[in-house]
Amino acid sequence: MSPIRLVIVGIGKIVRDQHIPNIEKNPRFVLAGGVSPHSILEDTPMFKDLDALFASGTEFDAAAVCTPPQVRHGLARQLLLAGKHVFLEKPPGATVSEVEDLAQTAKDKGLSLFASWHSRQAPGVEPAAEWLKGRKLKEVEIVWREDVRHWHPGQEWVWKAGGLGVFDPGINALSIATRILPPFFVRKADLEFPSNCEAPIAARIDYELDGGGPMSSDFDWRQTGPQTWDIRVDTQDGGALRLSKGGTELTIDGHAVDVGPEREYGALYDRFADVVEAGELDADVRPLQQVADAFLLGRRIETEAFYDPAR
Ligand code: NAP
């Protein structure tokens, strides 16, 4: 097959850090253009919005929508209705219904929709899922604590309604958990909102784990120093699994397992090319549903105002 001509919509941090280098390395793609209100990519045809892109007559097959989540649905819908395959950065939308609408639209149009979950491509995740298959679980603990000032300097949208706040990284943990664990259900959630923000800075959640014991997650954006992205699973037969550093390291019963190097976005673009070639839909909403459930059941606690010198 000839390479997929790809347009990127929303040129920001993740596009520069990951999308561009991985598209350039992948012979199954060629970059056909970019759409962004202010930012540009050198040596690439750039447009301020989708209307300008379509008016230009630029030929392309697919688009990666890498904007903040609040505007993802409208842009993705316009692209699908114009007959383009769509790659969605995570989270795939600001609400679950938006993603379901996109999946239905893609289906109706015979197009591919790929809701990407980059953390699921971390090298420890599939070996962990394999090891856990059929085991009875005793306890699960997720601790995902990082420094928002380091990872999102000056980003306004993460603090607006629909920006998800601490669930922006927390959903990465939930994308792994929904891949490796049996179904789980939010039972209690404490969400801490800074007094000057519309989205939470921390969330502590208790779940009921289908057929298993207690499960909890601790998401916090105030951690300075070493960062923590860990999932611990204790099983009833005594074995224990630990995925750390965001799924890049795996330990089983205290022994490190060799899981190979990290190539999350390389794997995402391989998967997108497979999905397009097979004419498939890959749009798992479960991580976003877990976030929505935490907001539905969550108790709102106001905490001190958040200041970021870069904002
Ligand atoms: P960002 O740096 O704020 O970039 C987002 C870009 O979207 C902005 O630069 C803005 O472009 C553009 N944009 C806003 N509204 C638009 C619209 N209506 N049409 C087209 N473009 C629009 O954010 P980011 O960190 O890259 O994050 C983007 C998404 O990637 C988020 O969903 C995030 O969860 C996900 N992600 C981020 C990371 C990370 O490490 N940062 C990692 C994995 C996934 P202008 O500059 O032109 O205004």
Side-chain angles (χ1 to χ4, degrees), residues 184-189 205-208 290 293-294 297-298:
F184 52 91
F185 307 95
V186 176
R187 290 293 177 241
K188 179 173 181 282
I205 305 170
D206 293 333
Y207 307 86
E208 185 181 328
Q290 286 293 334
D293 291 355
L297 268 185

Side-chain angles (χ1 to χ4, degrees), residues 40-54:
I40 58 155
L41 291 170
E42 297 296 333
D43 305 322
T44 305
M46 285 299 309
F47 307 92
K48 297 269 179 229
D49 55 32
L50 286 183
D51 289 343
L53 168 71
F54 290 127

